[in-house]
Amino acid sequence: MAPPPLVGLPTDRKQFGPHPFLAVGEKYVRAVVDGAGASPVLLPALQPPVPPEQWLDRLDGLLLTGATSNIEPHHYSDEPSWEGNLHDPARDANTLGMIPRALAMGLPVLAICRGFQEVNVALGGTLHQKVHEVPGLADHRENLDDPLDRQYGPSHPVELAPGGLLAGIAGTTSVQVNSLHGQGVARLAPGLVVEATAPDGLVEAYRGTGPGFLLAVQWHPEWQVTRNPFYLGIFRAFGQACRVWADARDRRPGAAASP
């Protein structure tokens, strides 16, 4: 029996007292195991960054997670940031350089919330820093005073593109999703195709048109992934793409023989 594929998760850099720590939310790690059937590998977000090829050539997939921080706006705009906006320059430096390399390889990529925004920025797209202040767009933020089950509960419907990847997973063209984000896509990067939109027209999911598996969603399918068939279907599709990649990697010339 083949071993589980290896899925890399870039870390966030967090300060605890005088010491920086590197961390990934446990719910993402658990979703890789329970939803994708893969083995998680945490990728340290160091400064200066570790060259991406040191990670990617050994992985079977890449999961770009959500986070409490936002991408620094100088990566996609000349707008200043706003007071109180949390940033993580170490994560930006690592993921924004890693994404183009991973996609050029055809490595399977699943991107969630901040990761959804990272892929768009890395490929030349732009973001709204405050979606709720854009005329015509709704407030997509969670209520931080609510318990977690309510914050991550169904918030609004999304329309899924007919014939798209997500519509195939859901078996329908409309599903309910959670909503816990303040930023969102302003201009979608070239080479990306919309997979889902919110009722206000905001892009909620997209896929890549290049080789390999690229799916990015603005909501959080990792939350209690085994209890939501649609969310579980997203991770299962990602896990299957990782297994296909791992099998192809094992068959490449010069690959080590499986034990």
Side-chain angles (χ1 to χ4, degrees):
M1 182 176 180
L6 298 179
V7 171
L9 298 88
T11 58
D12 302 325
R13 188 176 188 271
K14 296 179 176 292
Q15 196 76 20
F16 292 97
H19 300 289
F21 283 72
L22 302 176
V24 173
E26 183 178 321
K27 59 194 172 84
Y28 299 104
V29 178
R30 175 54 60 188
V32 167
V33 175
D34 294 342
S39 293
V41 179
L42 305 192
L43 309 179
L46 300 174
Q47 285 189 307
V50 173
E53 59 272 13
Q54 291 191 21
W55 309 123
L56 301 179
D57 291 346
R58 306 182 186 190
L59 297 176
D60 304 308
L62 184 64
L63 175 62
L64 301 166
T65 69
T68 56
S69 64
N70 291 313
I71 303 168
E72 290 190 295
H74 71 80
H75 289 292
Y76 58 85
S77 170
D78 58 1
E79 299 175 5
S81 187
W82 45 273
E83 184 176 354
N85 194 6
L86 296 177
H87 294 305
D88 187 343
R91 173 156 171 167
D92 289 351
N94 281 263
T95 57
L96 297 180
M98 188 181 299
I99 289 165
R101 167 87 184 209
L103 297 179
M105 292 170 58
L107 187 72
V109 175
L110 176 61
I112 295 171
C113 199
R114 189 195 209 273
F116 164 96
Q117 296 165 14
E118 286 171 337
V119 173
N120 187 53
V121 169
L123 299 183
T126 63
L127 303 177
H128 296 300
Q129 288 200 63
K130 293 184 177 182
V131 169
H132 57 284
E133 293 185 356
V134 178
L137 296 182
D139 190 340
H140 289 249
R141 297 172 297 175
E142 75 277 22
N143 182 348
L144 294 175
D145 294 329
D146 285 341
L148 286 179
D149 280 345
R150 187 174 299 168
Q151 290 183 35
Y152 284 87
S155 178
H156 63 72
V158 292
E159 289 298 316
L160 307 180
L165 176 58
L166 288 175
I169 292 171
T172 182
T173 56
S174 180
V175 294
Q176 289 280 333
V177 299
N178 52 38
S179 186
L180 300 94
H181 62 101
Q183 302 201 141
V185 167
R187 185 184 72 247
L188 196 63
L192 302 177
V193 175
V194 174
E195 277 277 325
T197 54
D200 58 5
L202 189 68
V203 175
E204 287 276 332
Y206 57 77
R207 62 178 170 84
T209 57
F213 179 100
L214 167 59
L215 177 64
V217 298
Q218 183 63 85
W219 62 88
H220 287 265
E222 82 286 351
W223 178 253
Q224 299 180 346
V225 64
T226 59
R227 299 186 186 182
N228 185 309
F230 177 53
Y231 293 176
L232 181 59
I234 290 172
F235 271 90
R236 283 182 170 170
F238 173 57
Q240 179 57 26
C242 294
R243 280 183 282 277
V244 170
W245 176 268
D247 182 65
R249 185 182 63 175
D250 289 343
R251 296 173 186 272
R252 291 177 197 135
S258 299

